Amino acid sequence: SSVLTQPPSVSVAPGQTARITCGGHNFRDRSVHWYQQRPGQAPLLVIYDDMDRPSGIPERFSGSSSWNTATLTISRAEAGDEADYFCQVWDTGSDLVRFGGGTKLTVL
Amino acid sequence: EVHLVESGGGLVQPGGSLRLSCAASGFRFDDYAMHWVRQPPGKGLEWVSGLSWQSDDIGYGDSVKGRFIISRDNAKNSLYLQMNNVKPEDTAIYYCAKNYGDTTRGPFDSWGQGVLVTVSS
């Protein structure tokens, strides 16, 4: 089975760049999606298909993927970016949707 | 604007049943796959189930397979989740989510605000 591994927490200073990783095997044939979840709110799609941004998501949010790691990059971090971030894939082998355990981003 | 509103949550005893509903508006409901995703208090996200627009492609997470049933009524723009033989570990906020594009297993580009289900005696 596919397990998506995320660091529990990442800290970044305002204005700096935060990188959140999602580890799993064989990302070459699956798309990775990222969600932001602020406290008390529903998740929000911020990156889909490895690197595409939905309408309304700032360009400061970007994504990349190699064969075994996907990365969400948040440039020029702001206080409003503080949230939990989850990666997600469709494991075609098991036909299951899988989420990473989530990363809490703190903007110090 | 897409609007998803869940209802039907509450307190249920272990072994009992509950039916969640999701009312959709702001988009052509019968063009998209739909999903249920849950989140236990203070924990991460878990995919529960999803189905295609025609209900001919249905999937379930391992922890609910055989106990939960997903369905939809395109005429009523509604999604449902029948929860049977519930367990304490089913306690969570349940979100209704709209699938993006013409795939059937995500990503999820719109979410409801969620409904809390508590399984306890």
Side-chain angles (χ1 to χ4, degrees):
Chain A
S1 64
S2 171
V3 177
L4 301 179
T5 303
Q6 298 183 236
S9 62
V10 168
S11 297
V12 63
Q16 299 304 302
T17 297
R19 294 179 179 83
I20 299 172
T21 57
C22 177
H25 55 271
N26 199 12
F27 280 118
R28 285 178 298 182
D29 60 354
R30 65 187 67 174
S31 295
V32 181
H33 319 297
W34 291 92
Y35 302 87
Q36 174 195 71
Q37 187 178 34
R38 294 189 174 110
Q41 295 188 14
L44 172 71
L45 180 67
V46 294
I47 293 289
Y48 66 97
D49 291 351
D50 298 338
M51 63 180 63
D52 292 334
R53 274 187 317 276
S55 173
I57 301 301
E59 292 183 3
R60 301 185 298 105
F61 288 80
S62 62
S64 63
S65 180
S66 67
W67 80 273
N68 66 346
T69 302
T71 303
L72 172 68
T73 301
I74 305 171
S75 305
R76 303 181 299 283
E78 302 174 355
D81 298 333
E82 280 205 344
D84 293 324
Y85 291 85
F86 297 90
C87 60
Q88 178 247 310
V89 299
W90 172 24
D91 185 341
T92 55
S94 61
D95 193 25
L96 291 174
V97 172
R98 299 191 185 275
F99 287 94
T103 298
K104 182 177 181 60
L105 177 68
T106 301
V107 181
L108 300 167
Chain B
E1 181 185 359
V2 173
H3 206 44
L4 300 171
V5 180
E6 302 93 340
S7 61
L11 177 65
V12 58
Q13 292 188 340
S17 296
L18 203 62
R19 190 193 196 206
L20 304 183
S21 299
C22 171
S25 61
F27 66 103
R28 281 204 55 168
F29 184 72
D30 56 7
D31 273 354
Y32 296 94
M34 296 293 295
H35 300 264
W36 290 98
V37 178
R38 70 184 182 184
Q39 185 171 35
K43 297 190 177 181
L45 301 171
E46 180 188 11
W47 179 70
V48 174
S49 182
L51 82 172
S52 60
W53 70 274
Q54 279 187 310
S55 303
D56 57 350
D57 181 4
I58 297 177
Y60 295 96
D62 287 341
S63 60
V64 306
K65 198 172 295 183
R67 299 188 298 121
F68 291 8
I69 300 172
I70 191 173
S71 63
R72 64 191 294 165
D73 186 335
N74 289 339
K76 295 183 178 179
N77 289 346
S78 293
L79 177 72
Y80 307 100
L81 185 68
Q82 178 66 42
M83 306 170 62
N84 299 321
N85 188 24
V86 297
K87 305 175 181 180
E89 51 265 38
D90 294 323
T91 295
I93 295 173
Y94 284 73
Y95 293 102
C96 168
K98 170 184 167 291
N99 204 92
Y100 172 80
D102 57 3
T103 63
T104 57
R105 296 290 186 266
F108 314 127
D109 65 354
S110 296
W111 298 63
Q113 281 305 301
V115 64
L116 178 62
V117 173
T118 303
V119 182
S120 176
S121 54

